[in-house]
Amino acid sequence: MKKIVLAVATAATLAVTAIAAPAPAEARGGRVAAGVGLGLLGGAIAGAAIANSGGYYGPGYGYYGGPAYYAGGPCYWQRERFWDGYGWRVRRVQVCN
């Protein structure tokens, strides 16, 4: 996905640069400023897309209540793999015998 976004942003920037680049005979300030502005806008959009392309694994763990009280036996922590609707996650759970 990052490669596609980067390719589209690069193509858009090159297209805007080619259109906005003035010929030597008609160097006007308005077109140069528009080209620079569009280039900056394209760069900002591409940068935002790349920055937000990180994976999203769904909501946090949430609240599971306070610690449970167990009357006997030693307890230990164990890693548990579970599906949260978005992907596989791992959490630590307390196991008491």
Side-chain angles (χ1 to χ4, degrees):
M1 185 67 180
K2 288 182 183 179
K3 290 182 181 180
I4 294 172
V5 170
L6 188 59
V8 169
T10 303
T13 303
L14 290 174
V16 167
T17 304
I19 292 171
E26 60 172 290
R28 296 183 184 149
R31 289 188 178 179
V32 173
V36 170
L38 289 174
L40 291 174
L41 179 64
I45 291 172
I50 292 170
N52 288 329
S53 64
Y56 176 70
Y57 297 106
Y61 291 115
Y63 180 69
Y64 291 106
Y69 175 76
Y70 295 101
C75 297
Y76 61 94
W77 290 93
Q78 180 177 344
R79 292 171 50 120
E80 177 183 82
R81 189 171 171 225
F82 71 100
W83 180 261
D84 69 348
Y86 295 100
W88 287 102
R89 298 184 75 159
V90 177
R91 68 177 166 207
R92 293 182 56 183
V93 294
Q94 188 175 20
V95 178
C96 297
N97 296 333

